[in-house]
Amino acid sequence: SQQGEEDPQALSIQEGENATMNCSYKTSINNLQWYRQNSGRGLVHLILIRSNEREKHSGRLRVTLDTSKKSSSLLITASRAADTASYFCATVATGANSKLTFGKGITLSVRP
Amino acid sequence: DGGITQSPKYLFRKEGQNVTLSCEQNLNHDAMYWYRQDPGQGLRLIYYSQIVNDFQKGDIAEGYSVSREKKESFPLTVTSAQKNPTAFYLCASSLGRFQPQHFGDGTRLSIL
C-alpha cells in the first residue's frame, strides 16, 4: 500500500524559480524521507525529517513536516536545470513491522 | 567508493524462464531491499532482509524469490510464476530499518 501521496503530479518551472512539492500521508509516522530519481537511474536520498521535527534544511532544500495535518513539503530554492527529476516522499510508519513506503512521485521539469 | 551495484542493466526473459538479478553492496549495511517500479508509479516492495540468512516478503512477493547468504549480496530471482515481470527493478540497502536507503541504478527486465 502506498501511504505517501505527492502533489502536484507534475510541475514545470523556469530556472531560478522556487519549486514546492507536497506530500500527504495517512497514519502516524516515525520519519518522512524525500528522494530524487533521475530518468533511468536509482533513487537518491535527499533529506530525512523525524516526527518530532518541524523543519530541516540541506543546501537549497527545505523540508517541513506538519504531523497534525499529516503533510510535508519540499521546497527547492533557485532551481536549476539539473534539478529536473522525479521526487518521491516516503514514510516509515510507527509500529514494529513498519517499512519505508513510497508515494507515486512528482515529475519536476526546470526549463533553462 | 562505497555503493550498490546491480547487474545486468538490461535483461530479457523468455516464456517459462527464471532469471536472476544481481545486487551487491560494499557499504557494510545490514538491511537490503528489492523494489519494483512500473511507469508512473512509486516503488513497491518485493522482499527485504534485515540480516544474513533471514528475509521477509514485501507487498508483492508472489512470483519472486531471494536469498541472503552473504551480507554483501541479495540476488532476486524472477520466476516463471510471475506473469507480468516487465518492470524496472531497484535494489537498496540501509544501516537499519528506519534509516535512509541507498539505491543501485536498477535492472530493466523485459519479456521476449
Side-chain angles (χ1 to χ4, degrees), chain B residues 7-86:
Chain B
S7 63
K9 195 168 178 64
Y10 299 95
L11 188 57
F12 297 91
R13 196 192 87 170
K14 295 179 183 176
E15 287 288 336
Q17 187 182 43
N18 294 352
V19 291
T20 297
L21 285 60
S22 169
C23 178
E24 303 277 330
Q25 55 103 356
N26 60 4
L27 298 165
N28 201 31
H29 285 171
D30 285 317
M32 296 188 75
Y33 313 84
W34 274 106
Y35 294 94
R36 170 180 171 137
Q37 186 177 32
D38 293 283
Q41 299 292 312
L43 278 63
R44 292 185 289 168
L45 183 65
I46 304 172
Y47 269 97
Y48 64 103
S49 167
Q50 297 187 63
I51 198 165
V52 175
N53 292 323
D54 187 47
F55 49 83
Q56 286 79 39
K57 293 181 179 180
D59 300 318
I60 54 165
E62 187 175 345
Y64 300 97
S65 66
V66 293
S67 63
R68 186 87 188 274
E69 296 174 3
K70 298 187 301 181
K71 188 174 186 176
E72 301 80 16
S73 179
F74 192 40
L76 173 74
T77 296
V78 183
T79 75
S80 56
Q82 172 49 246
K83 297 307 177 191
N84 184 23
T86 298

Side-chain angles (χ1 to χ4, degrees), chain A residues 1-2 30-31 33 35 37 40-43 45 88 92 96 98-100 102-104, chain B residues 9 35 37 40-43 45 48 59 88 90 97-101 103-105 108:
Chain A
S1 61
Q2 290 175 321
N30 177 287
N31 69 61
Q33 303 175 29
Y35 289 79
Q37 183 181 32
R41 304 293 298 274
L43 278 70
H45 177 259
F88 295 87
V92 180
S98 59
K99 307 177 289 289
L100 191 63
F102 288 84
K104 293 185 179 181
Chain B
K9 195 168 178 64
Y35 294 94
Q37 186 177 32
Q41 299 292 312
L43 278 63
L45 183 65
Y48 64 103
D59 300 318
F88 190 48
L90 287 161
R97 190 155 54 93
F98 295 159
Q99 299 304 308
Q101 294 185 10
F103 283 80
D105 270 340
R108 192 167 298 279

Side-chain angles (χ1 to χ4, degrees), chain A residues 44-99:
Chain A
V44 174
H45 177 259
L46 295 176
I47 201 161
L48 179 154
I49 187 164
R50 293 182 174 80
S51 60
N52 61 352
E53 297 175 312
R54 292 297 165 258
E55 188 170 311
K56 281 190 89 166
H57 296 255
S58 176
R60 292 184 297 114
L61 306 181
R62 172 179 166 246
V63 168
T64 61
L65 179 66
D66 186 336
T67 53
S68 67
K69 294 181 180 177
K70 292 188 168 58
S71 67
S72 173
S73 67
L74 170 67
L75 169 68
I76 303 175
T77 59
S79 63
R80 306 166 181 168
D83 294 327
T84 294
S86 293
Y87 291 81
F88 295 87
C89 77
T91 54
V92 180
T94 54
N97 296 316
S98 59
K99 307 177 289 289

